[in-house]
Amino acid sequence: IRAKVNTKNFAAIAKTETQDPTGKNNGGDLGWFSAGRMVPEFEKAAFSMKPGEISQPVKTQFGYHIIYVQDKKAAESRPLDTVK
């Protein structure tokens, strides 16, 4: 799968090849996520990548994943009263 996936066809291939029911419906899009939200192996790969990169297969306890980082946001801190 990794050999044929690219930035233009990632979503279409995710819809047909993923075994994750959520991924089939949204083309593998996980939306924005911050550190501490994913398993360590997945985070290590995702956060070490640059926007526009597609990873080699990443093994986690949930299986193998191919990660496409479309964009990144800078971390932000907000006061507790703001997010309550």
Side-chain angles (χ1 to χ4, degrees):
I1 293 171
R2 177 58 185 98
K4 65 182 179 179
V5 72
N6 60 51
T7 58
K8 292 181 179 19
N9 67 13
F10 186 91
I13 290 177
K15 285 181 180 183
T16 60
E17 299 292 339
T18 187
Q19 295 177 356
D20 175 30
T22 305
K24 285 200 179 290
N25 296 328
N26 64 12
D29 190 345
L30 301 177
W32 296 101
F33 62 87
S34 58
R37 301 289 309 250
M38 303 293 179
V39 294
E41 304 88 353
F42 191 96
E43 279 192 6
K44 182 179 178 185
F47 288 116
S48 69
M49 297 169 61
K50 296 176 186 169
E53 289 184 331
I54 299 175
S55 72
Q56 292 301 313
V58 176
K59 185 178 181 182
T60 73
Q61 65 192 33
F62 300 105
Y64 287 90
H65 312 272
I66 297 173
I67 304 167
Y68 170 29
V69 175
Q70 293 181 307
D71 201 4
K72 289 187 173 189
K73 290 183 183 180
E76 63 179 46
S77 294
R78 294 185 283 171
L80 180 59
D81 289 340
T82 305
V83 295
K84 277 186 178 179

